[in-house]
Amino acid sequence: MAIERTLSIIKPDAVKKNVIGQIYSRFENARLKIIAARMVCLSCADAEKFYLLHKDQPFFRDLVKFMASDPVMVQVLEGERAVSKNRELMGATDPKKAEKGTIRADFAVSIDCNAIHGSDSLKTAAVEIAFFFPQIDVYSQSVVASGNI
Ligand code: CMP
């Protein structure tokens, strides 16, 4: 199975709750390796750029304001099926609909403050990883060799 890389952001609400370590343990227990990480204070301009895809959504302004309100912890996760595995660990976008035991069910309070972001596809992961970590290889060799991109 191809080794993938995906981008994960622990959002301001979860950073403030002091649960970075607990969330990292979940990645590690699921055999996802943290191969790069940095704590970042996003400006509104950074957040707007990162979430450009959502610019026409009614929640866009609140999302940008929230993401720039406090530090976030950003990491690249690597492992088998990293994109989908990470999304399973996160749970549904709305924590009220997230399955028990998922990160959002356990640490998030609302769809606006939902603890964590994760890339939704390999293609998005490539763009999002390059946004925060332009210096690292976006694709692992096996992903490139599989012709998935
Ligand atoms: P995230 O996975 O970071 O991607 C976009 C974010 O917009 C999402 O998590 C939510 O925090 C936020 N958001 C707010 N309202 C909605 C909504 N109705 N649907 C999807 N995302 C929403």
Side-chain angles (χ1 to χ4, degrees):
M1 199 178 283
I3 301 295
E4 299 173 354
R5 288 178 178 175
T6 191
L7 188 90
S8 156
I9 304 177
I10 301 177
K11 296 187 180 184
D13 55 323
V15 172
K16 267 206 252 183
K17 270 189 192 148
N18 200 23
V19 292
I20 294 172
Q22 291 186 57
I23 293 173
Y24 271 25
S25 292
R26 293 180 184 213
F27 297 149
E28 290 169 353
N29 292 338
R31 304 175 73 127
L32 290 175
K33 263 191 200 166
I34 299 152
I35 62 157
R38 53 188 281 238
M39 188 172 267
V40 188
C41 291
L42 293 174
S43 65
C44 283
D46 293 333
E48 275 171 13
K49 202 167 156 200
F50 182 77
Y51 279 116
L52 202 60
L53 196 75
H54 298 298
K55 70 176 189 322
D56 297 325
Q57 298 293 335
F59 55 81
F60 183 65
R61 290 266 45 104
D62 286 343
L63 174 63
V64 165
K65 210 169 141 196
F66 170 62
M67 291 302 286
S69 65
D70 266 304
V72 295
M73 191 72 205
V74 189
Q75 43 284 323
V76 178
L77 307 176
E78 184 183 80
E80 282 182 6
R81 290 196 308 110
V83 173
S84 57
K85 200 185 268 185
N86 181 43
R87 288 180 72 80
E88 286 160 22
L89 292 176
M90 292 193 305
T93 307
D94 182 350
K96 290 182 188 79
K97 294 179 185 158
E99 228 174 278
K100 220 173 148 211
T102 59
I103 294 169
R104 283 169 171 155
D106 290 348
F107 300 119
V109 291
S110 70
I111 195 165
D112 297 305
C113 300
N114 66 349
I116 196 153
H117 167 84
S119 310
D120 63 5
S121 68
L122 263 186
K123 258 192 186 158
T124 311
V127 175
E128 292 185 348
I129 291 169
F131 185 92
F132 285 105
F133 300 95
Q135 72 281 17
I136 71 167
D137 282 347
V138 170
Y139 303 114
S140 61
Q141 286 310 307
S142 54
V143 173
V144 174
S146 74
N148 281 343
I149 49 170

